[in-house]
Amino acid sequence: MVFKSTVILGRVTAGTWNRLAPQARPAPEDNTHPGRVHVVQGGGGSAHPTQVLLLTDAEAAEWGVTTAPAQN
């Protein structure tokens, strides 16, 4: 059985990067912009820069109950 995972890393040291996402080397340069992270999916050997929402627990809970589900 092959497990595929997603690792999301933001502002980590090279040592942490090498432990958590060794398949995606070299570690990308650090980005100091809030909400910018790198995503490594499955066994892929590359990291993709991604913008994420920075929410408190209360903001996330409010967003979760007030956001309408997507219509297909």
Side-chain angles (χ1 to χ4, degrees):
M1 181 182 299
V2 175
F3 292 101
K4 294 191 178 191
S5 62
T6 299
V7 178
I8 302 171
L9 299 167
R11 299 193 70 183
V12 298
T13 65
T16 299
W17 183 276
N18 291 334
R19 278 193 307 280
L20 298 176
Q23 71 276 25
R25 288 191 184 175
E29 289 189 26
D30 191 18
N31 191 328
T32 58
H33 294 285
R36 301 256 173 106
V37 299
H38 286 91
V39 176
V40 180
Q41 291 184 303
S46 62
H48 304 282
T50 305
Q51 183 75 35
V52 296
L53 294 173
L54 297 176
L55 303 172
T56 65
D57 289 346
E59 291 169 333
E62 178 69 18
W63 180 81
V65 297
T66 60
T67 303
Q71 299 295 319
N72 291 335

